[in-house]
Amino acid sequence: MPLGFFIIMAAQFFSALADNALLIIAIALLREMAAPATYEPLLKLFFTVSYVLLAAFVGAFADSMPKWRVMLISNTIKIGGCLILLFGSHPLFAYAVIGLGAAAYSPAKYGILTEYLPHRLLVVANGWIEGLTVGAIILGTVVGGVLIRPDVAAWFMGLNIPLLSSSLEVAIAVVGLFYLLAGLFNFYIPDTGVDHKPLKNNPLYLLHDFGHCLKLLWRDKLGQISLAVTTLFWGAGATLQFIVIKWAEHNLQFDLSKASMMQGVVAVGVALGAGLAARIISLRRSPGVIPIGIAMGLVVMVMVTVTQPTIAMVLMVLVGALAGFFVVPMNALLQHRGHILMGAGHSIAVQNFNENLSILVMTGLYALLIKSGLSINVVIVLFGIFVAGAMLLVKHRHELNQREFDSVALLEDHPH
C-alpha cells in the first residue's frame, strides 16, 4: 500500500476515535442531567439524521472537489460540534452537529479509496479501514470510559484548567484534541488527480440525481444484495452499542465506565474478523459470507444466558468477529459496484442514506422497546431473531438472482 493510503487511515482513525469517545461522554452528560433513559439511543438518532436528510447533497459535494479538502471541511464541522458541547449546548444538539460533519466526511473517506487504489485491492483496503475504524471504536470507548471515571474526574478537577469548570468539560476538551489531530492529517492526504464534477446549484437537480443513483444501485443484482447486507449490519451495529451497555449493566452489574469497555471488546472481534476476511475472501467470493450474518444473529441471543464477565468477553469477541468477517467483503463489493455504476462519492452517499436510515429505524425501535418496559434480555432475543431472519431473506434473494444470471462470475478472483 502507498504512503498516502496510511495517511488517509490515520485521519479516519483519529476522527472516529473522537466520535466514539464523545458518545460515552455525552451519555454521562445526559445521566448527570437526569435525562430519561430513552435519550441515550436518541444520541445515535440525532447523529445519523444528517446522513439521511443530506444524502442527496453530500455525495455531490464529495465529488465536487479533492477528497482531502472535503475531509478537512467536515472535520472542522465536528470540531464546532465539540466546542458547542463544551460551552453548554444540549448533548443531543451538539452530537447532531458532529453527525452533520460525519455525514459529509463519510463519502470522501470511502470514496477516496476507489479513486486512489485499483479495485483488486478494495477488499484489502476495506479490511484496513474497517480494522482501524474498529480500533478507533475500541480506543474511543476506552478513552471515553476512562475520562468519566470518578478518580480521573477528580484528577482533572485538581488541574484547575482555566475556563473549564467540570471534569466532563475537561474530557470534552481532550476529545477535541483528537479532532484537531485528524485535521492535521487531512492536509497531507494526496490528491488522486481524478476529475471533479462542479457542484450543481439547483437542489431539485441534486435530489433527482440522487434518486436516480438510489434506484440504480438497488436494481443492480449484486448492488442490491451488498447494500441490503451493509444496511442491516450498520443498523444492527448501532443498536448493539446500546444493547451491550444496558446488558452489561443488567447482567454483569457493571457501571457505565466498565460497560462502555464491553463495546471495545466487541470491536476487538470485529477487527479480527475484518482482518481475516481481507486475507482470505476475494471480491468474487464475497457473497458467500452471507450465512455468517445469519450465525451472528443466532449467537447474539446467547447473551441472555451469560452473567460471568470472562464468558461475556469471549462471547462479545465472537459476535464481533462474525460481524467483521461478513461486512468487510460485502462493503468492498458494494463500493466496487457503486464506483462502476455512478462514481465514488454518489455511491457512498446512497450507501450512507440506506445504512443510516436503518440506524434511525432500529435505534428508534430500541428506544420504544426500552420505554415500553421490556427487559433487556427480551430485547436481545428479538434483536437476534430479526438479524438472523433478515439475513436469511437476503440469502434467498441472492440465490434467486443467481438463477437468472450468474453476475458473480463477472467479478475478479485475485488472491490477496
Side-chain angles (χ1 to χ4, degrees):
M1 291 289 187
L3 177 62
F5 172 76
F6 295 105
I7 296 174
I8 297 167
M9 294 299 97
Q12 159 61 9
F13 176 82
F14 286 108
S15 189
L17 184 151
D19 291 347
N20 286 279
L22 209 57
L23 176 63
I24 304 301
I25 296 168
I27 291 174
L29 280 169
L30 288 174
R31 293 187 178 183
E32 189 180 73
M33 296 163 54
T38 50
Y39 277 30
E40 293 176 20
L42 289 181
L43 280 168
K44 203 69 176 182
L45 188 146
F46 274 69
F47 181 82
T48 55
V49 71
S50 294
Y51 283 89
V52 177
L53 295 181
L54 301 178
F57 310 102
V58 292
F61 177 65
D63 284 341
S64 69
M65 64 181 77
K67 297 291 187 291
W68 70 266
R69 192 181 302 164
V70 177
M71 293 169 75
L72 180 63
I73 293 169
S74 306
N75 195 73
T76 304
I77 296 172
K78 289 186 179 185
I79 293 171
C82 195
L83 284 173
I84 65 172
L85 183 62
L86 184 62
F87 293 132
S89 173
H90 195 284
L92 291 177
F93 175 71
Y95 213 55
V97 173
I98 292 166
L100 174 62
Y105 196 92
S106 187
K109 79 179 180 187
Y110 282 110
I112 197 171
L113 295 180
T114 55
E115 292 181 0
Y116 193 61
L117 299 171
H119 65 260
R120 64 184 176 82
L121 293 178
L122 279 179
V123 173
V124 176
N126 270 276
W128 270 95
I129 199 166
E130 296 301 336
L132 282 176
T133 298
V134 166
I137 294 171
I138 296 170
L139 192 55
T141 51
V142 169
V143 167
V146 167
L147 290 176
I148 63 171
R149 280 175 49 180
D151 55 334
V152 176
W155 182 79
F156 277 150
M157 293 309 297
L159 295 177
N160 296 318
I161 301 174
L163 304 177
L164 303 178
S165 58
S166 73
S167 59
L168 288 178
E169 287 183 359
V170 179
I172 295 165
V174 171
V175 171
L177 295 177
F178 291 115
Y179 283 128
L180 289 174
L181 188 56
L184 182 63
F185 278 108
N186 290 150
F187 282 107
Y188 295 96
I189 292 174
D191 191 338
T192 59
V194 171
D195 188 32
H196 300 101
K197 303 173 184 177
L199 190 62
K200 301 288 184 181
N201 294 324
N202 187 347
L204 293 178
Y205 171 84
L206 293 175
L207 286 169
H208 179 269
D209 186 44
F210 176 76
H212 170 70
C213 293
L214 185 66
K215 287 187 283 187
L216 198 62
L217 201 52
W218 273 116
R219 286 173 180 168
D220 182 71
K221 296 299 184 185
L222 291 174
Q224 64 182 224
I225 298 303
S226 53
L227 187 53
V229 170
T230 56
T231 295
L232 176 65
F233 171 83
W234 287 108
T239 311
L240 193 61
Q241 276 189 300
F242 296 99
I243 287 176
V244 166
I245 288 178
K246 186 73 72 175
W247 166 75
E249 290 175 333
H250 182 270
N251 285 29
L252 307 177
Q253 309 305 312
F254 284 177
D255 60 16
L256 176 60
S257 180
K258 286 184 178 179
S260 67
M261 305 295 179
M262 292 303 291
Q263 289 186 359
V265 175
V266 177
V268 169
V270 175
L272 293 173
L276 183 62
R279 289 179 63 87
I280 66 175
I281 303 296
S282 64
L283 209 56
R284 182 179 292 182
R285 293 173 59 199
S286 54
V289 301
I290 295 175
I292 303 295
I294 301 172
M296 189 196 83
L298 298 176
V299 171
V300 162
M301 291 189 282
V302 179
M303 289 169 63
V304 301
T305 66
V306 176
T307 56
Q308 296 297 320
T310 303
I311 298 174
M313 290 177 69
V314 173
L315 182 62
M316 291 299 96
V317 170
L318 177 60
V319 169
L322 291 171
F325 190 85
F326 89 84
V327 78
V328 165
M330 298 306 288
N331 205 41
L333 176 60
L334 180 57
Q335 288 182 20
H336 172 58
R337 295 304 301 160
H339 181 58
I340 289 173
L341 292 169
M342 67 196 67
H346 286 71
S347 168
I348 301 301
V350 169
Q351 183 178 348
N352 283 340
F353 173 79
N354 286 276
E355 291 172 0
N356 288 282
L357 187 59
S358 172
I359 290 172
L360 289 178
V361 171
M362 292 188 69
T363 52
L365 287 174
Y366 170 73
L368 288 175
L369 291 174
I370 293 299
K371 189 174 182 179
S372 69
L374 286 178
S375 74
I376 188 62
N377 286 338
V378 173
V379 172
I380 288 170
V381 171
L382 292 174
F383 175 82
I385 291 171
F386 171 76
V387 171
M391 290 298 298
L392 191 61
L393 290 175
V394 172
K395 181 176 181 292
H396 179 64
R397 177 66 182 182
H398 176 61
E399 290 168 351
L400 289 177
N401 288 344
Q402 283 296 101
R403 290 192 194 109
E404 292 179 17
F405 178 74
D406 186 9
S407 29
V408 173
L410 302 177
L411 299 172
E412 293 186 1
D413 195 21
H414 289 291
H416 302 301

